[in-house]
Amino acid sequence: MSDKRSLISIEALSKSYPSPDGKGETAVFENLWLRIDEGEFVCVIGHSGCGKTTLLNILAGLETASSGGIILGGSEITGPSLDRAVIFQSHALMLWMTVLGNVAFAVRSKWPELDKASLNDRCRKYLDLVHLDENRNKRPSQLSGGMRQRVGIARAFAIQPKMMLMDEPFSALDALTRGTLKDELLTICAETKQTSFMITHDIDEAIFLADKIVLMTNGPHAKIAEIVKNPLPRARKRENMHRHPHYYPLRNHLLDFLVSRSKAFDETIAAGSYDPRNPPIVEPGLAPQAVPASMPADETIATGRLERAAI
């Protein structure tokens, strides 16, 4: 999918739960294949029930897959780790700690050998990035909702994770605060070259933040329908993004998928023209991207390991 070195490789990933009637299992999603390059910002869009949050939880190591695997930096994900950070819909702060204490708790977990001065400097650096250093001695109850979410963002970035995972982190905020935080998030990701994976229902949020937008079909048995490359330059501004000539072709393409094409995708699968290992790669407004014939066998690490274990 890319000439760059992939940081994340999702391979033949499926997740099933027991059926409500107790007879068998129902697959939330199945046979997902996706590559995420270092420094890339990926957004996932799909209707409720397609398994977006479940996929994020598996990436975080909070849930296990039913089959397949995920490779991060050459190692298979088997559980939680400080090489991944999660920003949840709610701030998830420890209310009895100060702002600085919340960030320091995460930093100390990753680098327990840091002396007090170095720990303090690292925490304040990331609080300054979200414009909260002057509030470092306050407790979460003394902050607004947007400020609490900023603390969560600073805490996640402060441990310098290989992968940043975000589950609709701005959904509970007002429109003005959402816009400001998205500006800051994009700036921090650009400065730190942070690899990011984010769930969103907001098309314009995905267009503003993402390099690549993954479209999921409806669940159950959800699949990756398309991988949409964002043709807008990375240095985007919310106030003039809509003036770019590729903005409306991209937005219309995403909206059309959510309104109509996601429901009709089962027909494409039934016709036998869908290859889950190579979902279509499109760039609205530009020429279609070439799709590789197949994923090289020596790169299917997780699947190969699972297949060998079954022999």
Side-chain angles (χ1 to χ4, degrees):
M1 291 183 185
S2 172
D3 293 332
K4 299 179 182 178
R5 178 178 173 80
S6 294
L7 176 67
I8 287 277
S9 181
I10 298 173
E11 303 176 3
L13 198 73
S14 300
K15 180 64 178 180
S16 299
Y17 292 103
S19 300
D21 59 7
K23 299 177 181 179
E25 294 186 331
T26 299
V28 181
F29 56 74
E30 55 190 8
N31 207 7
L32 303 187
W33 294 78
L34 178 67
R35 296 291 185 85
I36 301 175
D37 293 334
E38 291 185 17
E40 196 169 39
F41 199 123
V42 174
C43 279
V44 178
I45 291 180
H47 290 287
S48 295
C50 71
K52 300 184 300 296
T53 297
T54 301
L55 175 57
L56 183 141
N57 286 339
I58 294 173
L59 278 162
L62 302 175
E63 290 192 47
T64 57
S66 300
S67 61
I70 303 177
I71 302 300
L72 170 62
S75 300
E76 189 169 7
I77 291 176
T78 56
S81 169
L82 289 171
D83 61 7
R84 282 154 280 142
V86 184
I87 303 175
F88 298 99
Q89 292 182 28
S90 61
H91 54 79
L93 300 179
M94 290 170 279
L95 301 180
W96 60 92
M97 289 185 177
T98 64
V99 166
L100 184 66
N102 269 276
V103 179
F105 181 85
V107 173
R108 193 180 292 110
S109 298
K110 186 162 186 178
W111 296 289
E113 74 282 358
L114 281 180
D115 59 69
K116 187 174 182 180
S118 299
L119 176 69
N120 190 65
D121 288 346
R122 172 172 286 276
C123 295
R124 292 190 62 180
K125 170 187 174 182
Y126 286 92
L127 285 172
D128 187 54
L129 283 176
V130 296
H131 312 294
L132 278 179
D133 186 46
E134 62 184 20
N135 295 282
R136 63 187 177 276
N137 294 319
K138 292 183 178 179
R139 284 183 163 73
S141 61
Q142 298 173 287
L143 305 177
S144 68
M147 292 169 77
R148 288 194 290 268
Q149 198 67 346
R150 288 182 193 209
V151 179
I153 291 171
R155 179 178 58 185
F157 277 95
I159 64 171
Q160 294 182 326
K162 292 180 181 178
M163 189 75 180
M164 184 70 69
L165 304 167
M166 292 171 274
D167 186 2
E168 297 190 80
F170 312 124
S171 61
L173 304 174
D174 63 273
L176 186 59
T177 304
R178 275 201 309 270
T180 302
L181 284 183
K182 281 185 275 191
D183 288 341
E184 292 176 358
L185 177 64
L186 199 62
T187 299
I188 296 171
C189 285
E191 289 180 1
T192 61
K193 295 181 174 58
Q194 178 66 59
T195 308
S196 304
F197 180 94
M198 178 176 173
I199 294 170
T200 181
H201 284 97
D202 187 327
I203 287 176
D204 283 313
E205 184 171 86
I207 294 172
F208 179 60
L209 293 171
D211 301 306
K212 194 160 67 182
I213 302 166
V214 177
L215 301 180
M216 297 281 291
T217 66
N218 292 349
H221 307 287
K223 296 175 177 61
I224 294 175
E226 287 180 353
I227 298 171
V228 181
K229 295 181 69 175
N230 193 339
L232 277 64
R234 238 193 178 194
R236 300 165 202 136
K237 301 291 183 184
R238 283 185 297 120
E239 61 270 20
N240 60 15
M241 183 174 67
H242 64 284
R243 295 194 179 97
H244 194 280
H246 296 317
Y247 170 76
Y248 282 107
L250 174 58
R251 193 178 195 279
N252 291 341
H253 183 89
L254 299 175
L255 188 61
D256 177 59
F257 175 82
L258 291 175
V259 171
S260 58
R261 289 192 299 119
S262 60
K263 299 176 183 177
F265 197 78
D266 286 341
E267 298 176 9
T268 303
I269 297 172
S273 57
Y274 172 76
D275 179 3
R277 294 179 64 161
N278 295 291
I281 301 173
V282 298
E283 196 163 359
L286 299 178
Q289 300 295 302
V291 179
S294 64
M295 184 179 291
D298 60 352
E299 295 183 9
T300 57
I301 303 172
T303 303
R305 180 180 298 137
L306 294 169
E307 287 175 351
R308 286 195 296 274
I311 294 174

